[in-house]
Amino acid sequence: MKKILVADDEMSIRLLYSEELKEEGYDVITASNGKEALEIVSREPLDLVILDIKMPEMSGIEVLRQIKEKYPDLPVLLSSAYSEYKQDFGTWASEEYLVKSSDLEDLKAAVRRHLKN
Amino acid sequence: MPLNRLTFLTNLIDLFTSTVSYEERLANFVYLVARNFNVDQVLFFGLDKNRSRLFLNADSRKSVLRPRLEFALGEGIVGQTAQQRTPLILQMSQLPVQPENQPLLALVPNVQTLACFPVADDNFLYGVLLFISRVSREFLPVEKETILIACRMLAGNIRQALLHEEAKKRIAELAVLYEIAKATGATRELPVLLEQVVSISAKVLNARGASLRIVDEVSQQIHVSSEYGIVPRDVPPVGTLFCEKPLLTGELPSITSELTNSQGEKHYFAGIPLNLKGHLKGMLCLYDKMGANHSFQQFDQENIQLLQTLAGMATSSIENALAFQQIEALAAKNARMVNILTVLHDISAVLMTTIEMDKILTILVRALTFKNAMDYDRAIIFLVDKRRQLLVESRHAYQPSAASTLPLRQALLADLGNPEEATPVGPHPIEVPLRPDQGILAQSVLFRKPFHIMRADQHPQVNQQIREQLSGQEFIAVPLLAKEEATGVIVIDNHFTQRPLDEEDMHFLTMFANQAALAIENSRLVETIEASSKELTLIRERMLESDRLAAMSSMAEGLAHEIRNPLVSIGGFARRISKQVKAGEELKWHELKKYVDVIVDEVGRLEKILRQMFDYTGDSLGYFREHEINGLVEDALTLIHRDLEKYNIQVVKEYADLPPVYCDERQIKLVFYNIFQNAQQAMENGGTLTIRTFPLEKKDGLYAAIAVSDTGGGIAPELVYNIFNPFFTTKEQGTGLGLSIAQRIVSRHYGDIEINNELGKGITFTVTLPIAKYCLLPLKNSTSGTTSLEEV
């Protein structure tokens, strides 16, 4: 069973994403901020990470940078309410940048795409 | 008839004391002597002034034609007697006749005896007395003695006559000098004075003509001259004669000379220099002294002496008159200067009354052409058109036919709005390209130089168009200079009166042009300022508009971000519920409850966001109520917390318990939002935002104070005073409106914003707002202004 980390400061988003992804048959762990996400990445063997960008303590971009430094092969998807972070070079290291939507089909498709590799 | 000595001497005494003239006495004397001594003829030879020759003066025989007889001293019996001063008696029978005496023997036939006696006193010989007898005659000693007595009496009488003659002459001279003195003292008019001097000189000496010329010492040209009678034209003029002499220094001697004209006629002249203090002032000349029978004679030494005396007197009078003439000329010049300066002053005062270009130009052309102002016949003003690089005729005018009766200032201002005068340039104003090869006008502007052209039609540099206008005359062109720059050119001429233009015209026109240029420059500046001001107002309005749009769009963006997360959650869970319901599976109630709770929570969150947004941007009508200031500050902070986090800005809060403040909640939130935003923008690389609230007692009561400090390094001290000005900003993207709006709102709340800028550290804004209690009860508690915070 593939293991996915969802990091978002919004409790309702964490709940929505984990419910949907579990239904797809993945094992889902959540983190409510950047620091917590990095701890989990260093502790648990993961297949994919979904990161919110605007989080307290540490932004998703910084988390992405540190993950890619240590685990360049671990796929990371960015999921943000804002589209303008696409202009930030820091986000380009991610596998995909997704703007949050209540329709999670795009997200799930992206997860499937990157888990194959 | 024997000599009756007593009778003879008595007769002589009678004769010499008679009042008859000298010539008649002499004639009677020789007759008396001839009769008494019984001889045929008695002659008197007088010694001339040079004491070298003797001339026949009197004859006892009154012949119609007196022969012309003269002898040199020592020549013949007459000359010898005079030389030896002793009587000589010649008997023809005894001696051969000397040839020198032959003319005497021719007078009477068969002369036998010649006797000659000297006429002299103790000092001088005056002549000799000659006796001629046809019979041989001896002179007895008593006869000789008697004759010698008679001769001495005659000598005395002649001396008296000469003295009398001399005295008469001196008196005549004195009379002349008196006349001259009277004439020269009576007038200061140089021409009149000269006329009198020449006419008196000529009359006194009985000269045919006279002239007087005064030479200008500087130019050595003849300054003034006067003539009287006939001055011969075809003889070399005296001017050339005395110009050959060294001029101006040393005393020039008087000259007498003889000149022969082309017809071979002889003319005589005397030149008397007018010397004053060693300087030659001029020359008095007399021509052709008239003698008997209208013959011309040379002037003698006595004439010259008299003329010199006369010239000496005239010189000082002429000098006085010259000085007076100079003073008068200076006074006239001064009067003209004062007049012109007064006119210039009036013109400048009038120019001050308007800044409208049309009116200024009208005033200028009037000032140039009005009789009581600059008084030129015609004037044209050209102005520089910078864009097209042209000189364009902007106004021209002629002197009005009827002079205005108004004082100058009123006349210049009268009917200024008159449209006829406002556009007097024809449909095709003269245009001159601003290039040096385009003639005088362009050159005047380009080289900032005035020009005085004597003959416009013959000057190669005068533009064809202008030449036609000026019809070949003298004119002056003066550039209009303001701040080293030529903005135009003024052209004037005297087309109708033909009054010549001079240095003074140039001078005053230049002064006039300076004033004119300033007035024109001021008018142009004001026009520019007005245009700029209009443009600024437009820009300001546009900026305000764009700022409103920017604020709205920024708010809309924030709104979009704030609602996306809840929307994603609501939508996401709604889809999950929908999926479960559609699948017809057995419903997991506890899961559904969880989803619905999330939806409810998120919707509540959305509503809260909306409330905040619309409270903030809502209508601007003031809605004043009592509010806890700390709460409003906190609300404003939540509006910006996203940005503070983004730029890693720590927030430190020190809130004191404060009584409520009477205010419009939304406006006060906006004040702090703007201050926070300003602080955040100053700390783009992170920092600390410190918010401190505390009570503050001021002279007029208790205030709530909110101090907001950043660590952004502050701004340059010279910029601090601008910080509340609209549109002032030190940031690339700021509009500069935020703090200005904040200040306006605070002052509307009777509060204050103070700024404390610490360069290198940061800025602290302290907002003070009056405590509600004092605002609500200003009259009741007016005496308790010093109430402390504890009591409140």
Side-chain angles (χ1 to χ4, degrees), chain A residues 10 12-13 15-16 19-20 23 54 81-82 84 99-103 108, chain B residues 561 564-565 568-569 571-573 575-576 579 594-595 598 602 605 642 645:
Chain A
E10 294 270 346
S12 56
I13 297 288
L15 180 64
L16 180 66
E19 295 279 310
E20 286 284 319
E23 221 172 58
K54 245 183 65 62
Y82 311 102
E84 65 262 33
V99 178
K100 283 177 184 170
S101 164
S102 61
D103 181 357
K108 287 189 270 189
Chain B
H561 291 153
R564 191 184 290 278
N565 275 325
V568 167
S569 304
F573 286 111
R575 281 167 199 269
R576 283 195 67 74
K579 243 192 299 186
K594 194 165 69 182
Y595 298 163
V598 170
E602 293 293 346
R605 192 170 140 204
R642 198 160 45 81
E645 277 169 13

